[in-house]
Amino acid sequence: MTIDPTLNLAAAAACFVGIHLFVSGTRLRDRIVGAIGEGPYAGLFSLASLGCIIWLSVAFSRASGATLTVLWIPQPWWQQVAMAVTLVAFVLAV
């Protein structure tokens, strides 16, 4: 059974973002830290993050060589929106 490279890439990205959004700063993290301690939690979370990054890089390399399924084609005016948001983000970062 072959997995669609685009779907695999999306799943890897969702996994990486998901562990950071739903575990990292939530009550679930507090429960895990209470059960196993701060050090083991940091090690396991780092290992999970590294695993997601490896999965993401492998999925990207496989997807970049395949014919990708276009999920969304932005309208031309989105370029101006992206530039304005980037400008605001740059000013706030500085």
Side-chain angles (χ1 to χ4, degrees):
M1 179 176 158
T2 305
I3 299 173
D4 180 30
T6 306
L7 183 61
N8 191 26
L9 181 60
C15 178
F16 184 76
V17 170
I19 65 169
H20 285 83
L21 286 179
F22 300 117
V23 176
S24 179
T26 64
R27 292 183 182 164
L28 177 60
R29 179 197 182 278
D30 297 336
R31 281 190 230 135
I32 296 171
V33 168
I36 65 173
E38 185 70 37
Y41 168 78
L44 289 173
F45 189 80
S46 298
L47 191 62
S49 296
L50 181 63
C52 287
I53 289 173
I54 291 171
W55 179 20
L56 195 57
S57 63
V58 169
F60 181 79
S61 69
R62 288 183 182 160
S64 62
T67 303
L68 296 177
T69 304
V70 177
L71 300 176
W72 179 58
I73 299 174
Q75 297 297 321
W77 55 268
W78 272 106
Q79 183 176 7
Q80 283 75 29
V81 172
M83 289 181 356
V85 169
T86 302
L87 177 64
V88 170
F90 179 75
V91 169
L92 291 174
V94 171

